Amino acid sequence: MLTLEDIFKSFKLPLTEKRKKLIAEAYEFAESAHDGQKRKSGENYIQHSIATAITLAKIGMGSKTVAAGLLHDVPEDTAVTLSELEKNFGKEIANIIDGITKLGKIKLRASREEYFLENLRKMFLAMAADIRVVIIKLADRLHNMRTLRYLPPEKQQRIARETMEIYVPIANRLGIGEIKEQLEDLALQYLNPRDYENVKKLRTENYQKGEKYLKQAIKELKKELKKSGVPVIDIYGRAKHLYSLSLKLKRYDMDIARIYDLVAVRIIVPEVADCYEALGIVHKKYHPMVGRIKDYISLPKSNGYQSIHTTIFGPDGKILEVQIRTQKMHDEAEFGIAAHWIYSEREKMGWKKFIFKPHGDKVPKKELEWVRQLRDWQKEIGRDDEEFVEGLKIDFFKNHIFAFTPLGDIIDLPEEATPIDFAYAIHSEVGNNATGAKADGKIVTLDHQIKNGQVIEILTSKENKTPSRDWLGFVKTSKAKSRIKRELKKEEGY
Ligand code: MN
């Protein structure tokens, strides 16, 4: 059973008396409002509120957001009204909760595509009004997914699908890997239980086999880094989460031996320069695999992800991936936009203790693209809803389409994108080996213009195929273009 104390313990920000008081008050208010109500699991309702608050505290949200998390179901599910909440907790918290209540009133539409866009629009709309509304919805959904087994199977399917289609992409866009990965694994468990069990079993077996080498590599690398004077904040092994592993396994004919990042050694260092120094030391100790060094620090991924990845021949020649990043890059990968709260808060408080000094100690001027985008959306507050949705359609949905993989993963593409763009968006190898495509189950040509909401399946050949030069004539994404050109060059023997 979760308690108020558990929320305090999960708090990432310094817990001042003022914050503690606010959270304790919100807790007591929520507990008495939900008194006598039970969840489907048979637990007291307040358990759901606490679990939501804990997730928010863990990803580094402030005390107001955590308090709103505790109170988020009060106006919807109890006799207490919003104005009573406002009287007790002020306008800011009441507004957040109002946003959550409104967002909860999404109606199911007949057509799947429409339903998806409607949901996505509402999410973005709420985000524009206050991003905290959406972050609380994510934390709320995480606990609902964790207790999904208590609902009837039909509801489980609907909620799991909605999680994969709406909540996962939003968590991804906000960069909150910590929530995104948990949601994906939980949804997979219901949407494709056979896959889930298979992948879980495969991962456990292989993890056990590799554990010895992983531990040895960590020990050795620790020693070498220390000897060379590279400061290390943390070094540990991480297992790939199940959903991304299941996607990767499908691309590799379920051959787990070909997946090199099943477990990875993660090295967290203070400064960017330390990352490159650490990379040198890793490579001096263990031979790197050719063509597998990825510098996402100089060239961040489109969602802003930064790290250096390299694949090495570790102890006994065992293949291992090593990921090197600063604390700040790590926090941004795990907590996304919430990390910005943490870092700005740290500055205000002059507090250095809870996170090792990150490079520069300041949020860099060149902020991530999504932060800028969200800022722009936030400027829209105060505009009439209708008008704003129109604006969103133009700004955000213009030149954008969303297509689905057969597993329900969403691929964000420019308008008029083709199955080849889709294939390269999944993985270069899928692109290179593409031989045909299906849209909503029907065979289409490779230059087919994908429509919003279509499920696209890429047919690939097992032989090592090369892309066709003709593809360059119709692909829309620069990613596909550059990968095709690169592959053709290789073929011509440059
Ligand atoms: Mn809830």
Side-chain angles (χ1 to χ4, degrees):
M1 217 183 60
L2 300 168
T3 63
L4 176 62
E5 205 47 48
D6 293 317
I7 305 176
F8 292 152
K9 270 190 269 170
S10 313
F11 229 66
K12 214 143 192 231
L13 289 170
L15 200 53
T16 57
E17 278 313 307
K18 206 175 133 205
R19 289 187 166 138
K20 239 178 156 164
K21 190 166 161 269
L22 172 63
I23 293 163
E25 277 169 10
Y27 170 79
E28 259 144 52
F29 194 96
E31 199 192 25
S32 87
H34 288 297
D35 188 35
Q37 290 180 339
K38 297 271 183 204
R39 295 276 291 177
K40 283 277 186 315
S41 61
E43 285 182 314
N44 285 334
Y45 202 96
I46 193 71
Q47 289 297 311
H48 168 66
S49 320
I50 301 175
T52 306
I54 286 176
T55 301
L56 294 166
K58 270 191 185 157
I59 64 167
M61 300 305 293
S63 50
K64 279 182 191 155
T65 315
V66 175
L70 275 165
L71 297 163
H72 79 271
D73 280 326
V74 166
E76 178 79 12
D77 294 336
T78 78
V80 179
T81 63
L82 196 68
S83 58
E84 275 173 81
L85 276 176
E86 190 179 327
K87 249 181 260 154
N88 282 276
F89 296 99
K91 206 169 178 63
E92 191 180 348
I93 289 178
N95 279 345
I96 296 173
I97 297 166
D98 188 34
I100 296 162
T101 312
K102 280 186 184 142
L103 206 52
K105 289 178 180 150
I106 290 168
K107 279 186 201 77
L108 255 164
R109 296 291 182 93
S111 119
R112 182 185 152 150
E113 179 187 338
E114 222 178 292
Y115 161 56
F116 168 69
L117 285 179
E118 182 66 21
N119 273 285
L120 204 61
R121 262 177 218 144
K122 287 202 175 169
M123 278 291 203
F124 282 120
L125 193 62
M127 221 189 274
D130 195 326
I131 299 166
R132 292 174 294 183
V133 169
V134 177
I135 296 177
I136 294 170
K137 278 300 276 187
L138 288 172
D140 171 45
R141 177 54 60 115
L142 183 58
H143 185 252
N144 286 340
M145 286 300 292
R146 282 186 187 147
T147 51
L148 198 58
R149 62 183 177 280
Y150 300 107
L151 295 188
E154 256 176 54
K155 268 198 170 170
Q156 289 176 355
Q157 288 302 311
R158 182 181 64 74
I159 292 170
R161 212 177 323 120
E162 190 185 63
T163 298
M164 203 62 117
E165 290 174 0
I166 309 291
Y167 290 83
V168 165
I170 301 263
N172 186 37
R173 209 157 265 267
L174 293 177
I176 311 176
E178 167 90 3
I179 292 185
K180 176 192 164 245
E181 296 188 345
Q182 291 186 57
L183 287 178
E184 278 177 340
D185 283 4
L186 286 161
L188 180 67
Q189 197 178 340
Y190 293 92
L191 295 177
N192 205 333
R194 260 225 321 252
D195 255 32
Y196 177 84
E197 290 304 329
N198 273 341
V199 171
K200 201 169 150 188
K201 203 170 135 242
L202 264 176
R203 187 180 71 173
T204 312
E205 285 168 4
N206 279 271
Y207 190 76
Q208 280 161 354
K209 262 193 259 163
E211 211 182 357
K212 195 177 94 194
Y213 302 102
L214 180 74
K215 281 198 176 136
Q216 202 189 328
I218 290 174
K219 209 174 109 197
E220 296 284 329
L221 287 174
K222 228 187 224 167
K223 209 167 78 192
E224 294 296 322
L225 289 161
K226 200 173 169 195
K227 219 163 70 188
S228 318
V230 177
V232 172
I233 296 173
D234 203 359
I235 173 166
Y236 61 95
R238 80 102 184 88
K240 200 171 180 65
H241 81 119
L242 292 172
Y243 180 69
S244 68
L245 181 59
S246 81
L247 292 183
K248 206 161 187 178
L249 273 167
K250 289 214 163 92
R251 296 201 301 265
Y252 289 87
D253 301 322
M254 300 307 280
D255 183 2
I256 199 154
R258 288 167 62 202
I259 295 179
Y260 301 139
D261 63 346
L262 181 70
V263 288
V265 178
R266 204 169 260 167
I267 304 174
I268 315 280
V269 295
E271 314 273 343
V272 174
D274 302 324
C275 294
Y276 293 100
E277 238 181 282
L279 179 70
I281 284 150
V282 170
H283 284 174
K284 211 168 96 193
K285 177 72 191 164
Y286 297 117
H287 265 297
M289 196 184 253
V290 176
R292 301 265 321 174
I293 306 163
K294 287 169 240 164
D295 183 356
Y296 299 121
I297 293 180
S298 308
L299 299 163
K301 286 192 184 181
S302 57
N303 63 359
Y305 177 81
Q306 287 189 297
S307 272
I308 297 172
H309 291 189
T310 181
T311 306
I312 54 156
F313 296 96
D316 266 5
K318 274 268 166 184
I319 295 168
L320 267 180
E321 184 168 291
V322 178
Q323 303 175 347
I324 307 166
R325 50 172 83 157
T326 65
Q327 179 75 56
K328 184 159 189 299
M329 291 169 191
H330 179 67
D331 287 341
E332 276 176 355
E334 300 288 302
F335 311 134
I337 191 144
H340 287 260
W341 262 278
I342 305 179
Y343 279 85
S344 66
E345 197 66 30
R346 282 180 74 254
E347 266 173 41
K348 264 192 266 163
M349 308 275 298
W351 209 63
K352 310 261 183 210
K353 214 182 87 198
F354 83 108
I355 286 175
F356 204 90
K357 188 171 168 278
H359 76 95
D361 213 12
K362 262 185 194 153
V363 179
K365 279 214 183 69
K366 206 185 112 248
E367 278 172 311
L368 300 172
E369 176 63 11
W370 49 262
V371 177
R372 193 193 59 72
Q373 241 181 17
L374 289 172
R375 265 273 158 77
D376 289 349
W377 288 336
Q378 275 191 308
K379 280 191 202 139
E380 307 285 334
I381 313 171
R383 259 170 80 176
D384 174 51
D385 274 12
E386 284 279 302
E387 194 192 329
F388 181 60
V389 173
E390 272 312 302
L392 266 185
K393 260 192 238 158
I394 296 161
D395 299 331
F396 185 76
F397 293 103
K398 189 187 156 199
N399 310 325
H400 261 275
I401 53 169
F402 295 96
F404 299 89
T405 68
L407 265 181
D409 206 28
I410 294 172
I411 308 289
D412 188 349
L413 293 165
E415 234 168 19
E416 300 180 346
T418 66
I420 294 295
D421 293 294
F422 183 90
Y424 279 100
I426 295 173
H427 196 275
S428 305
E429 287 198 27
V430 180
N432 292 338
N433 294 322
T435 53
K438 285 180 182 174
D440 291 333
K442 286 193 199 93
I443 294 275
V444 292
T445 54
L446 288 174
D447 62 352
H448 165 80
Q449 284 187 3
I450 298 175
K451 285 185 203 72
N452 212 357
Q454 274 189 328
V455 178
I456 304 295
E457 189 185 337
I458 302 297
L459 311 171
T460 54
S461 100
K462 294 236 165 78
E463 312 295 315
N464 243 1
K465 235 186 112 274
T466 37
S468 154
R469 187 167 290 280
D470 299 343
W471 293 356
L472 288 170
F474 57 74
V475 292
K476 289 291 174 299
T477 56
S478 48
K479 185 172 183 182
K481 261 179 216 156
S482 68
R483 297 290 145 89
I484 294 167
K485 279 185 194 154
R486 194 174 70 186
E487 211 48 39
L488 288 173
K489 257 192 190 166
K490 241 198 256 172
E491 217 32 43
E492 286 156 10
Y494 284 101

